[in-house]
Amino acid sequence: MTENQHRSRDGFGSKIGIIAAAAGSAVGLGNIYRFPCEAGNNGGGAFLLVYLFIVLVLGIPTMLSEFIIGRKAQRNPVGAFRALAPKSAWPLVGFMGVFCAWILLSFYSTVSGWTLEYIVKAVGNDFQGKELAAIERDFSDFHNLGWRNVMWQSVFIFLTGFVVFNGVKKGIERYSKILMPLLLLILIILGVKSLSLPNAGEGFRFLFHADFSKITGKVLISALGQAFFSLSVGMGALITYGSYINKNDNLATTALSVTLSDTLVAVLAGVVIFPAAFSFGIQPTAGTGLVFNTLPMIFNQMQGGYFFCIIFFVLLAIAALTSTISLLEVMVAYLAEELRITRKLATVLASAATLILGVFASLSLTGDTKFVVGRRPLFDGLDFFSSNILLPIGGLLTVVFVGWFMGKRKFFGEITNEGQLKLKMKGVILFIIKYIAPVLIAAIFINCIR
Ligand code: TRP
């Protein structure tokens, strides 16, 4: 690719634009839906502690590595590895990322569809005055209507395709900037409410009291998978976004801001969900129902709950959308640049491929489903495979590539903007990327599969 072509690539207009877009990718259902589920299933406080450690020590370096690869190479994940390591097998890592995006988006769009169903329920004042049992019944009835899940999922994939269709800058930047801070605000309001409920202390303790004996191999790999999932790292989404980052932006502080915002939202979601769930008598291990049943119950108890409920689910849908955009973008950038087809055609193809697998993911959650792997619904299988296997492997290979194969000169050049930035920590950062991150990721991963 020539310099000219580089310049003609769609980019982010401002620093806040890229932070907003990357944070938009990171903040999503992973924080508000998946984080409480995983924490609930893995012992609460012990999980949170491991999670925070992993985000700090493994998440940030992996995110930074993706930004470095993307901005240096100015390509989609496959093209980026090919540009930086010609005639090697590294492009396969990028390819694995594109494949992972497809799987992730297929089941992610199922849950995204639920947010639309819940907007409709909220507007129709469907929760008001209902007992927990009724709210739980409605949720499982909805699960059993496979076609309705598929309908909302299709709508959501269409929305995602629509934004991606219209290009990176116009599409992504505009939507993320204002709405994510609003989501944060509403989470704070909900957190205050949740903590004031009777018996809330028990849920709070569940989340913040770490019982070290509960840290098992499964907790470690679940926390690793959740951390990478939540930060959107391990499959090249941030290589793709990195390729749009301005040459003068500070990659390290960008990675730090994105990580901090993402983690703040996840912990806040925990503060909203667990005290309320314990107060209402919802088990922390309830899985899908944990979040989707607890939230309406909170709104039920609130002054102005009707409006808060609508606003919340609208914002949640938008948070999901800024994440699905980044997943679809990985597939689209790959198809458009590698197969040399137009962005529009690439968008249509990637959306169609997602819907095909996604339908099975959605239908696997109905009570009488035939779509199971092992004894679990296909939905869970896709989630487990992508989050706990593909993302850790992808993340591992990414840090190994940057630490060992890209070359020190290129690394320091990219992280300091060719010497413009005085980054005191740059040696430490390289050390973490080169030694600590790969060893720890590999150790957690091997400890779990052996
Ligand atoms: N991080 C998003 C969330 O928490 C999901 C997501 C978007 C993602 N893009 C990704 C996960 C890329 C892994 C890789 O909801």
Side-chain angles (χ1 to χ4, degrees), residues 138-156:
D138 286 354
F139 185 57
S140 72
D141 285 350
F142 167 56
H143 265 343
N144 286 330
L145 292 176
W147 61 268
R148 198 172 165 92
N149 284 266
V150 170
M151 174 191 80
W152 287 127
Q153 176 178 40
S154 313
V155 171
F156 211 94

Side-chain angles (χ1 to χ4, degrees), residues 15-72:
K15 169 102 179 215
I16 183 73
I18 173 65
I19 293 185
S25 163
V27 174
L29 298 169
N31 307 59
I32 291 160
Y33 163 76
R34 200 177 185 280
F35 174 79
C37 286
E38 290 292 300
N41 279 321
N42 289 288
F47 179 87
L48 179 63
L49 192 72
V50 177
Y51 176 81
L52 292 176
F53 175 80
I54 289 178
V55 163
L56 210 66
V57 178
L58 305 179
I60 296 175
T62 313
M63 184 182 290
L64 187 57
S65 300
E66 288 200 20
F67 282 161
I68 288 174
I69 295 173
R71 192 173 69 173
K72 182 86 206 153

Side-chain angles (χ1 to χ4, degrees), residues 25-31 104 108 228-233 235 237 262 323-324 326-327 391:
S25 163
V27 174
L29 298 169
N31 307 59
L104 277 168
Y108 199 94
F228 282 12
F229 185 98
S230 192
L231 297 174
S232 298
V233 301
M235 41 74 69
D262 184 72
S323 302
T324 54
S326 77
L327 287 163
L391 292 183

Side-chain angles (χ1 to χ4, degrees), residues 26 36 47 149 212 293 341-342 357 364 424:
F47 179 87
N149 284 266
F212 287 90
N293 292 329
I341 55 178
T342 62
L357 183 59
S364 78
K424 281 206 207 85

